[in-house]
PDB file of all heavy atoms in Angstrom:
ATOM      1  N   ASP A   3      -7.514  14.897  -8.528  1.00 70.00           N
ATOM      2  CA  ASP A   3      -6.164  14.295  -8.927  1.00 70.00           C
ATOM      3  C   ASP A   3      -6.221  12.833  -8.889  1.00 70.00           C
ATOM      4  O   ASP A   3      -5.671  12.103  -7.879  1.00 70.00           O
ATOM      5  CB  ASP A   3      -5.090  14.870  -8.029  1.00 70.00           C
ATOM      6  CG  ASP A   3      -3.711  14.331  -8.457  1.00 70.00           C
ATOM      7  OD1 ASP A   3      -3.639  13.943  -9.567  1.00 70.00           O
ATOM      8  OD2 ASP A   3      -2.832  14.384  -7.690  1.00 70.00           O
ATOM      9  N   THR A  12     -13.116  -6.743 -10.571  1.00 95.00           N
ATOM     10  CA  THR A  12     -13.605  -8.070  -9.991  1.00 95.00           C
ATOM     11  C   THR A  12     -12.622  -9.031 -10.304  1.00 95.00           C
ATOM     12  O   THR A  12     -12.037  -9.134 -11.503  1.00 95.00           O
ATOM     13  CB  THR A  12     -14.991  -8.401 -10.550  1.00 95.00           C
ATOM     14  OG1 THR A  12     -15.921  -7.540 -10.163  1.00 95.00           O
ATOM     15  CG2 THR A  12     -15.465  -9.823 -10.041  1.00 95.00           C
ATOM     16  N   THR A  17     -13.473 -22.999 -10.793  1.00 88.00           N
ATOM     17  CA  THR A  17     -13.450 -24.134  -9.746  1.00 88.00           C
ATOM     18  C   THR A  17     -13.451 -25.344 -10.506  1.00 88.00           C
ATOM     19  O   THR A  17     -13.871 -25.498 -11.718  1.00 88.00           O
ATOM     20  CB  THR A  17     -14.729 -24.007  -8.910  1.00 88.00           C
ATOM     21  OG1 THR A  17     -15.871 -24.099  -9.757  1.00 88.00           O
ATOM     22  CG2 THR A  17     -14.658 -22.744  -8.136  1.00 88.00           C
ATOM     23  N   ASN A  54      -1.351  -7.422  -7.204  1.00 94.00           N
ATOM     24  CA  ASN A  54      -0.807  -7.999  -8.478  1.00 94.00           C
ATOM     25  C   ASN A  54      -1.515  -7.251  -9.761  1.00 94.00           C
ATOM     26  O   ASN A  54      -0.902  -7.160 -10.724  1.00 94.00           O
ATOM     27  CB  ASN A  54      -1.095  -9.403  -8.449  1.00 94.00           C
ATOM     28  CG  ASN A  54      -0.128 -10.252  -7.503  1.00 94.00           C
ATOM     29  OD1 ASN A  54       0.892  -9.668  -7.170  1.00 94.00           O
ATOM     30  ND2 ASN A  54      -0.561 -11.438  -7.083  1.00 94.00           N
ATOM     31  N   GLY A  58       0.372  -5.214 -12.637  1.00 93.00           N
ATOM     32  CA  GLY A  58       0.305  -5.691 -14.024  1.00 93.00           C
ATOM     33  C   GLY A  58       0.574  -7.229 -14.098  1.00 93.00           C
ATOM     34  O   GLY A  58       0.792  -7.712 -15.229  1.00 93.00           O
ATOM     35  N   TRP A  93      22.943 -14.768  -7.258  1.00 96.00           N
ATOM     36  CA  TRP A  93      24.245 -14.748  -7.872  1.00 96.00           C
ATOM     37  C   TRP A  93      24.903 -13.282  -8.063  1.00 96.00           C
ATOM     38  O   TRP A  93      26.042 -13.126  -8.376  1.00 96.00           O
ATOM     39  CB  TRP A  93      24.369 -15.423  -9.162  1.00 96.00           C
ATOM     40  CG  TRP A  93      23.444 -14.794 -10.182  1.00 96.00           C
ATOM     41  CD1 TRP A  93      23.684 -13.730 -11.087  1.00 96.00           C
ATOM     42  CD2 TRP A  93      22.032 -15.139 -10.484  1.00 96.00           C
ATOM     43  NE1 TRP A  93      22.584 -13.520 -11.880  1.00 96.00           N
ATOM     44  CE2 TRP A  93      21.558 -14.314 -11.495  1.00 96.00           C
ATOM     45  CE3 TRP A  93      21.113 -16.061  -9.886  1.00 96.00           C
ATOM     46  CZ2 TRP A  93      20.237 -14.376 -11.894  1.00 96.00           C
ATOM     47  CZ3 TRP A  93      19.839 -16.094 -10.318  1.00 96.00           C
ATOM     48  CH2 TRP A  93      19.371 -15.237 -11.391  1.00 96.00           C
ATOM     49  N   TRP A 111      22.418   4.446 -20.111  1.00 96.00           N
ATOM     50  CA  TRP A 111      23.399   4.819 -19.105  1.00 96.00           C
ATOM     51  C   TRP A 111      24.622   4.130 -19.159  1.00 96.00           C
ATOM     52  O   TRP A 111      24.628   2.811 -19.125  1.00 96.00           O
ATOM     53  CB  TRP A 111      22.742   4.893 -17.754  1.00 96.00           C
ATOM     54  CG  TRP A 111      21.796   5.974 -17.341  1.00 96.00           C
ATOM     55  CD1 TRP A 111      21.186   6.824 -18.311  1.00 96.00           C
ATOM     56  CD2 TRP A 111      21.327   6.342 -16.122  1.00 96.00           C
ATOM     57  NE1 TRP A 111      20.357   7.697 -17.595  1.00 96.00           N
ATOM     58  CE2 TRP A 111      20.434   7.455 -16.398  1.00 96.00           C
ATOM     59  CE3 TRP A 111      21.512   5.798 -14.754  1.00 96.00           C
ATOM     60  CZ2 TRP A 111      19.797   8.052 -15.222  1.00 96.00           C
ATOM     61  CZ3 TRP A 111      20.814   6.442 -13.801  1.00 96.00           C
ATOM     62  CH2 TRP A 111      19.942   7.530 -14.006  1.00 96.00           C
ATOM     63  N   ALA A 118      26.739   4.607  -9.822  1.00 96.00           N
ATOM     64  CA  ALA A 118      26.653   5.839  -8.929  1.00 96.00           C
ATOM     65  C   ALA A 118      25.205   6.001  -8.513  1.00 96.00           C
ATOM     66  O   ALA A 118      24.965   6.323  -7.296  1.00 96.00           O
ATOM     67  CB  ALA A 118      27.058   7.145  -9.832  1.00 96.00           C
ATOM     68  N   HIS A 119      24.267   5.869  -9.373  1.00 96.00           N
ATOM     69  CA  HIS A 119      22.833   5.865  -9.016  1.00 96.00           C
ATOM     70  C   HIS A 119      22.536   4.847  -7.986  1.00 96.00           C
ATOM     71  O   HIS A 119      21.832   5.083  -6.918  1.00 96.00           O
ATOM     72  CB  HIS A 119      22.012   5.775 -10.132  1.00 96.00           C
ATOM     73  CG  HIS A 119      20.506   6.180  -9.923  1.00 96.00           C
ATOM     74  ND1 HIS A 119      20.061   7.377  -9.594  1.00 96.00           N
ATOM     75  CD2 HIS A 119      19.441   5.266  -9.782  1.00 96.00           C
ATOM     76  CE1 HIS A 119      18.725   7.274  -9.354  1.00 96.00           C
ATOM     77  NE2 HIS A 119      18.433   6.036  -9.443  1.00 96.00           N
ATOM     78  N   SER A 132      28.595  -2.776   2.295  1.00 95.00           N
ATOM     79  CA  SER A 132      28.119  -4.138   1.908  1.00 95.00           C
ATOM     80  C   SER A 132      27.859  -4.219   0.480  1.00 95.00           C
ATOM     81  O   SER A 132      27.112  -5.267   0.040  1.00 95.00           O
ATOM     82  CB  SER A 132      26.901  -4.456   2.707  1.00 95.00           C
ATOM     83  OG  SER A 132      27.164  -4.387   4.128  1.00 95.00           O
ATOM     84  N   ARG A 136      27.026 -10.896  -1.333  1.00 96.00           N
ATOM     85  CA  ARG A 136      25.900 -11.613  -2.064  1.00 96.00           C
ATOM     86  C   ARG A 136      24.833 -11.839  -0.927  1.00 96.00           C
ATOM     87  O   ARG A 136      25.077 -11.827   0.262  1.00 96.00           O
ATOM     88  CB  ARG A 136      26.401 -12.829  -2.708  1.00 96.00           C
ATOM     89  CG  ARG A 136      27.196 -12.554  -3.884  1.00 96.00           C
ATOM     90  CD  ARG A 136      27.703 -13.837  -4.598  1.00 96.00           C
ATOM     91  NE  ARG A 136      28.106 -13.485  -5.959  1.00 96.00           N
ATOM     92  CZ  ARG A 136      29.326 -12.969  -6.167  1.00 96.00           C
ATOM     93  NH1 ARG A 136      30.082 -12.775  -5.221  1.00 96.00           N
ATOM     94  NH2 ARG A 136      29.761 -12.738  -7.445  1.00 96.00           N
ATOM     95  N   SER A 141      21.981 -10.582   6.387  1.00 90.00           N
ATOM     96  CA  SER A 141      20.868 -10.943   7.291  1.00 90.00           C
ATOM     97  C   SER A 141      19.481 -10.657   6.622  1.00 90.00           C
ATOM     98  O   SER A 141      19.439 -10.038   5.575  1.00 90.00           O
ATOM     99  CB  SER A 141      20.943 -10.101   8.641  1.00 90.00           C
ATOM    100  OG  SER A 141      20.623  -8.639   8.319  1.00 90.00           O
ATOM    101  N   ILE A 150      14.306  -2.826  -0.948  1.00 90.00           N
ATOM    102  CA  ILE A 150      13.780  -1.380  -0.843  1.00 90.00           C
ATOM    103  C   ILE A 150      14.625  -0.537  -1.737  1.00 90.00           C
ATOM    104  O   ILE A 150      14.116   0.324  -2.582  1.00 90.00           O
ATOM    105  CB  ILE A 150      13.916  -0.945   0.599  1.00 90.00           C
ATOM    106  CG1 ILE A 150      12.858  -1.745   1.376  1.00 90.00           C
ATOM    107  CG2 ILE A 150      13.600   0.567   0.666  1.00 90.00           C
ATOM    108  CD1 ILE A 150      12.928  -1.431   2.812  1.00 90.00           C
ATOM    109  N   ARG A 183       9.156   5.321   5.473  1.00 90.00           N
ATOM    110  CA  ARG A 183       8.352   6.539   5.605  1.00 90.00           C
ATOM    111  C   ARG A 183       9.114   7.723   5.306  1.00 90.00           C
ATOM    112  O   ARG A 183       8.655   8.597   4.611  1.00 90.00           O
ATOM    113  CB  ARG A 183       7.883   6.514   7.084  1.00 90.00           C
ATOM    114  CG  ARG A 183       6.988   7.793   7.452  1.00 90.00           C
ATOM    115  CD  ARG A 183       6.276   7.668   8.737  1.00 90.00           C
ATOM    116  NE  ARG A 183       5.742   8.954   9.007  1.00 90.00           N
ATOM    117  CZ  ARG A 183       4.537   9.457   8.442  1.00 90.00           C
ATOM    118  NH1 ARG A 183       3.972   8.744   7.485  1.00 90.00           N
ATOM    119  NH2 ARG A 183       4.211  10.593   8.804  1.00 90.00           N
ATOM    120  N   ASP A 199      -0.761  -5.750  10.076  1.00 92.00           N
ATOM    121  CA  ASP A 199      -0.352  -4.992  11.257  1.00 92.00           C
ATOM    122  C   ASP A 199      -1.171  -3.716  11.426  1.00 92.00           C
ATOM    123  O   ASP A 199      -0.815  -2.668  10.746  1.00 92.00           O
ATOM    124  CB  ASP A 199       1.149  -4.804  11.194  1.00 92.00           C
ATOM    125  CG  ASP A 199       1.700  -4.370  12.637  1.00 92.00           C
ATOM    126  OD1 ASP A 199       0.970  -3.570  13.261  1.00 92.00           O
ATOM    127  OD2 ASP A 199       2.818  -4.676  12.872  1.00 92.00           O
ATOM    128  N   PRO A 217     -14.352 -15.528   0.477  1.00 90.00           N
ATOM    129  CA  PRO A 217     -14.531 -15.003  -0.908  1.00 90.00           C
ATOM    130  C   PRO A 217     -15.799 -13.946  -0.940  1.00 90.00           C
ATOM    131  O   PRO A 217     -16.371 -13.695   0.086  1.00 90.00           O
ATOM    132  CB  PRO A 217     -14.861 -16.144  -1.760  1.00 90.00           C
ATOM    133  CG  PRO A 217     -15.458 -17.186  -0.847  1.00 90.00           C
ATOM    134  CD  PRO A 217     -14.870 -16.882   0.471  1.00 90.00           C
ATOM    135  N   GLN A 301     -20.358  10.748   4.568  1.00 44.00           N
ATOM    136  CA  GLN A 301     -19.122  11.598   4.825  1.00 44.00           C
ATOM    137  C   GLN A 301     -18.300  11.877   3.719  1.00 44.00           C
ATOM    138  O   GLN A 301     -17.755  13.059   3.583  1.00 44.00           O
ATOM    139  CB  GLN A 301     -18.346  10.826   5.991  1.00 44.00           C
ATOM    140  CG  GLN A 301     -18.939  10.784   7.193  1.00 44.00           C
ATOM    141  CD  GLN A 301     -18.105  10.167   8.363  1.00 44.00           C
ATOM    142  OE1 GLN A 301     -16.837  10.108   8.113  1.00 44.00           O
ATOM    143  NE2 GLN A 301     -18.566   9.533   9.272  1.00 44.00           N
TER     144      GLN A 301
END
Side-chain angles (χ1 to χ4, degrees):
D3 185 19
T12 297
T17 62
N54 286 340
W93 61 89
W111 279 14
H119 186 73
S132 299
R136 287 182 168 78
S141 68
I150 293 169
R183 178 168 172 75
D199 188 327
Q301 289 183 29

